[in-house]
Amino acid sequence: MTDLPIHPLSAEHKMLRDAARDFAQKEIAPIAAEFDESGEFPHATIRKMGGLGFMGIEVPEQYGGAEMDALAYVLALEEISKVDASHGVIMSVNNSLYCHGILQFGTEEQKKKFITPVASGEAIGAYSLTEPQSGSDAGEMRSRAVRDGDSYVLNGRKSWVTSGPVADYFVVFMMTDPVKKQKGITAFLVDGKTKGLVRGRKEPKLGIRASATSELVFEDCRIPAENRLGEEGEGFKIAMTVLDAGRIGIAAQALGIAEAAYEATREYAGQREAFGQPIGAFQGTGFKIADMKTRIEASRLLIYNAALAKENSKTTGRRYTLEASMAKLYASETAMFVAHQAVQIHGGVGYSRELPIERYFRDAKITEIYEGTSEIQRLVISRSELGIK
Ligand code: CAA
């Protein structure tokens, strides 16, 4: 990995990146294939990641976090995802979709109560926006929250919740005023033990199999009114703002997958011989290596740029929607491109479960889908460029 000349990494950045790399090699690499096969949630390693500060990297120390910056976050996430994308997405959702949103929109009490255990890794946080009939069109939700005295009563069905089966706390979006459509959506913080919150079936998935995903069913689930995040009607904007941060995390996850697939392929292309020479010496393979490397480095630049824009936004309040979408779009399509070429160059062994290449291929696909599909990223970018509302 090369340092970026225009944004040289500080000694702290390098220390964190190296710590994440060492941890991933020592603790995650030996179990990654086994957990992918079984689909079991890696509780023990996630807890250890919390102890090292990886589950709340940008969260201030007073709420249990490591109090580092947005660049530190993507550096660590890339290293974890390079070894296992399942650990990567659990870390990303915990940091971005959960902690970041509460940090930005929560009250002091909410931060203390809902961030501290999650940023320190003792508990797991999740984010629940999608519903069976509303994925890309996130504003079309049907789940309802009705105010009843000092409580809200939640009813509805949510889907594709990362860490849904295991999370201790959730940021959940519900309709409080259906007449107002998007402007009638409100965000809530829900303790996973609340009566009336039922975890649905765990999704059987193609990739990131050690990351648990499920539906959530709310049946007269009563929560205190003080658990409302932001004001009534602010939920859609909160959801979108939080996704800007989330998309940078998924871009870093995709970069990790691409790097892992690329490094294995570069080595294989130098060793494997066919027709009397290493296959890398054939221009057909060499050009693929060139494209893989170039796209990876371009992704890295977009991700660092988005992370710096996010950091800047903490003082200026300036949105970084465009930077986040470009990083997510390019890095996820790069992960898929690189993983695809990696399987092709490895041939039969790339298709075998004996090597992690096929896992990179299966894991890469979701990065083009969750936290906004590539089509949604293109929509966000083109609307921004063309000034279309
Ligand atoms: N930040 C702040 N505000 C934003 C915003 C952002 N990034 N994006 C939109 N808004 C605001 C707009 O300014 C607008 O406000 P006003 O009405 O006051 O002007 C309001 O929100 C509505 O915006 P749009 O008109 O652009 O809304 P839209 O209905 O056209 O939708 C969209 C826009 C980009 C398509 C959006 O719906 C979207 O991002 N969809 C994809 C959803 C998604 O990523 N889902 C993934 C869920 S998480 C997940 O994958 C599971 C997991 O656990 C990992």
Side-chain angles (χ1 to χ4, degrees):
M1 180 194 136
T2 44
D3 284 357
L4 200 58
I6 46 170
H7 305 302
L9 302 180
S10 70
E12 287 77 24
H13 286 135
K14 288 181 186 166
M15 219 171 357
L16 180 80
R17 180 193 64 193
D18 295 349
R21 185 179 296 163
D22 284 355
F23 177 83
Q25 280 305 334
K26 284 195 193 110
E27 304 270 349
I28 303 177
I31 61 159
E34 182 191 324
F35 277 70
D36 169 62
E37 185 75 36
S38 70
E40 209 182 306
F41 188 86
H43 286 285
T45 33
I46 291 295
R47 214 168 294 121
K48 285 186 191 170
M49 282 165 61
L52 291 167
F54 299 162
M55 300 306 278
I57 291 183
E58 294 171 71
V59 172
E61 282 176 8
Q62 68 182 115
Y63 308 122
E67 202 165 332
M68 294 188 75
D69 65 10
L71 191 53
Y73 169 54
V74 294
L75 290 167
L77 186 48
E78 176 193 338
E79 294 298 334
I80 298 293
S81 305
K82 190 169 169 182
V83 171
D84 183 38
S86 291
H87 281 77
V89 71
I90 299 163
M91 176 177 164
S92 178
V93 168
N94 212 76
N95 276 271
S96 306
L97 294 190
Y98 184 84
C99 291
H100 180 82
I102 306 175
L103 210 49
Q104 190 164 346
F105 297 100
T107 62
E108 188 54 32
E109 282 310 304
Q110 289 173 339
K111 288 178 197 173
K112 276 194 203 129
K113 181 171 171 192
F114 289 98
I115 296 183
T116 311
V118 173
S120 61
E122 287 155 33
I124 291 170
Y127 169 100
S128 178
L129 175 70
T130 303
E131 296 188 1
Q133 79 296 334
S134 62
S136 291
D137 192 0
E140 269 303 306
M141 64 178 61
R142 294 188 188 149
S143 294
R144 286 294 311 270
V146 176
R147 180 89 189 225
D148 181 23
D150 287 343
S151 313
Y152 281 93
V153 180
L154 316 184
N155 277 288
R157 183 178 287 269
K158 293 282 179 182
S159 48
W160 294 109
V161 184
T162 299
S163 298
V166 295
D168 299 278
Y169 301 103
F170 298 87
V171 176
V172 178
F173 299 88
M174 296 252 160
M175 192 63 89
T176 41
D177 189 348
V179 176
K180 292 187 182 156
K181 302 203 168 199
Q182 269 173 10
K183 287 190 167 45
I185 294 173
T186 304
F188 298 95
L189 299 168
V190 182
D191 186 321
K193 292 195 284 296
T194 314
K195 197 167 155 243
L197 167 52
V198 182
R199 296 161 204 251
R201 181 182 82 117
K202 193 174 148 197
E203 297 292 345
K205 306 195 298 283
L206 172 72
I208 54 158
R209 289 174 36 76
S211 132
T213 312
S214 72
E215 281 199 333
L216 294 178
V217 183
F218 292 85
E219 293 171 339
D220 290 331
C221 177
R222 185 177 287 272
I223 60 165
E226 69 205 28
N227 284 14
R228 192 185 68 217
L229 183 65
E231 296 301 321
E232 277 198 13
E234 275 185 0
F236 191 75
K237 282 203 181 176
I238 293 176
M240 292 298 118
T241 306
V242 170
L243 275 170
D244 288 345
R247 287 167 184 168
I248 300 176
I250 299 307
Q253 181 204 26
L255 176 61
I257 300 169
E259 285 234 296
Y262 171 70
E263 286 179 13
T265 306
R266 185 183 54 193
E267 194 181 330
Y268 187 77
Q271 286 171 358
R272 169 75 179 184
E273 294 203 354
F275 307 100
Q277 60 178 0
I279 57 171
F282 290 100
Q283 206 173 55
T285 308
F287 280 13
K288 284 182 177 157
I289 295 286
D291 288 345
M292 290 159 89
K293 174 69 176 165
T294 305
R295 291 195 196 191
I296 284 172
E297 291 305 319
S299 300
R300 188 190 310 289
L301 291 168
L302 285 169
I303 293 168
Y304 284 12
N305 185 54
L308 291 164
K310 178 184 175 195
E311 194 57 35
N312 185 37
S313 138
K314 290 176 188 169
T315 43
T316 62
R318 187 189 156 272
R319 266 172 64 174
Y320 49 93
T321 307
L322 177 65
E323 291 88 344
S325 276
M326 291 193 301
K328 203 268 186 186
L329 172 65
Y330 198 79
S332 60
E333 294 196 343
T334 293
M336 202 57 222
F337 169 79
V338 171
H340 179 210
Q341 299 300 345
V343 174
Q344 193 63 24
I345 292 172
H346 277 82
V349 290
Y351 199 68
S352 161
R353 292 221 164 173
E354 295 286 313
L355 291 184
I357 308 300
E358 59 83 33
R359 173 160 58 89
Y360 303 145
F361 182 72
R362 287 185 288 107
D363 287 350
K365 185 61 206 169
I366 190 63
T367 66
E368 293 182 320
I369 298 172
Y370 57 18
E371 301 202 26
T373 59
S374 288
E375 291 74 14
I376 288 295
Q377 307 312 328
R378 288 191 166 88
L379 188 80
V380 170
I381 297 162
S382 60
R383 278 183 181 179
S384 165
E385 282 304 285
L386 297 167
I388 297 170
K389 265 276 319 164

